[in-house]
Amino acid sequence: AQKVTQAQTEISVVEKEDVTLDCVYETRDTTYYLFWYKQPPSGELVFLIRRNSFDEQNEISGRYSWNFQKSTSSFNFTITASQVVDSAVYFCALRVTQGGSEKLVFGKGTKLTVNP
Amino acid sequence: EAGVTQFPSHSVIEKGQTVTLRCDPISGHDNLYWYRRVMGKEIKFLLHFVKESKQDESGMPNNRFLAERTGGTYSTLKVQPAELEDSGVYFCASSQEWGNTEAFFGQGTRLTVV
């Protein structure tokens, strides 16, 4: 099965707290890509990161960091020192390829609310 | 450079009516995708165009949905006749190359069928 699970439906934190969004995936492919997207209140899906299954190094971009662990099929996303502007729905996704086509399989999303 | 643009941003129609959604991808992007998010559920794949050809339409819910991409530029998604369960947010995305590149999404069209 090709599946992404985001067990946390909603998370609420106070500004400056660190928060981790969980993502667990299932895939039968040996090579695959994982993604995180952010959906702010304006509605568009904003690309955050793409990770190749061969690259297990953690990545840091400013206050954002990602922990990819193949052993547990997880690709968790941490926001350090959260800010109100981080409030959004965050989606984890798995790229699936089949017969010359490709698509993203999304989790249900985690709604993050950062309170001042 | 303009991003992926979708029209309209919101649409409210009655059950049984027809609605056409439009997506303008990023210029030069051969790949165009439609996705849909029904309330509280996952964002789900509908179909994938490569230029004007439908590469994969396995996610289309039923024959009330028709997608076109004439000339390989913008795409339309028509729902006829609309049903209540069609309500949701319809996203369009485009990518330059099949494979490694990320897909850029539009802001979505929120469709409400009453």
Side-chain angles (χ1 to χ4, degrees):
Chain A
Q2 314 272 45
K3 184 181 175 182
V4 174
T5 301
Q6 294 180 256
Q8 304 149 308
T9 306
E10 292 192 42
I11 299 176
S12 183
V13 299
V14 177
E15 209 170 14
K16 296 184 183 177
E17 283 186 28
D18 298 347
V19 58
T20 295
L21 309 181
D22 297 333
C23 172
V24 174
Y25 62 92
E26 295 176 36
T27 180
R28 56 177 174 264
D29 296 336
T30 52
T31 302
Y32 50 90
Y33 286 86
L34 295 162
F35 298 78
W36 275 95
Y37 284 86
K38 173 182 180 179
Q39 186 184 31
S42 52
E44 75 276 20
L45 284 169
V46 178
F47 167 80
L48 295 178
I49 189 172
R50 178 184 73 237
R51 175 48 50 92
N52 184 314
S53 57
F54 285 104
D55 183 3
E56 287 198 67
Q57 279 195 340
N58 291 334
E59 179 146 349
I60 298 174
S61 176
R63 295 183 298 105
Y64 294 172
S65 62
W66 290 269
N67 184 349
F68 175 38
Q69 294 199 347
K70 288 181 76 171
S71 60
T72 55
S73 297
S74 65
F75 187 40
N76 296 337
F77 173 31
T78 297
I79 302 174
T80 302
S82 60
Q83 300 177 1
V84 173
V85 293
D86 296 327
S87 297
V89 181
Y90 291 86
F91 293 94
C92 181
L94 169 71
R95 185 171 74 91
V96 173
T97 59
Q98 185 176 5
S101 178
E102 62 172 5
K103 60 187 176 184
L104 294 174
V105 174
F106 285 87
K108 289 188 177 182
T110 297
K111 182 179 180 181
L112 174 65
T113 302
V114 182
N115 298 297
Chain B
E1 179 182 327
V4 177
T5 309
Q6 293 185 243
F7 304 96
S9 56
H10 294 86
S11 180
V12 180
I13 62 171
E14 293 184 352
K15 176 182 172 181
Q17 288 186 324
T18 297
V19 63
T20 299
L21 314 181
R22 172 170 169 147
C23 169
D24 286 73
I26 293 172
S27 178
H29 282 194
D30 287 342
N31 295 278
L32 186 149
Y33 313 81
W34 283 98
Y35 290 82
R36 173 175 80 166
R37 187 185 191 203
V38 173
M39 181 64 72
K41 298 196 173 181
E42 301 92 339
I43 300 171
K44 288 202 169 177
F45 168 83
L46 297 179
L47 88 160
H48 171 202
F49 282 101
V50 177
K51 297 184 180 178
E52 67 275 10
S53 299
K54 291 177 185 174
Q55 193 71 12
D56 180 358
E57 53 183 333
S58 61
M60 295 288 263
N62 50 61
N63 59 11
R64 296 185 294 102
F65 289 75
L66 175 64
E68 294 180 325
R69 192 183 183 195
T70 306
T73 54
Y74 71 90
S75 174
T76 58
L77 179 63
K78 183 193 293 187
V79 185
Q80 179 182 29
E83 297 289 345
L84 298 179
E85 64 264 25
D86 300 333
S87 296
V89 180
Y90 290 76
F91 291 101
C92 176
S94 72
S95 69
Q96 190 169 27
E97 298 172 3
W98 184 92
N100 297 334
T101 61
E102 66 270 18
F104 295 90
F105 281 78
Q107 82 280 14
T109 293
R110 182 175 295 277
L111 174 65
T112 303
V113 183
V114 297

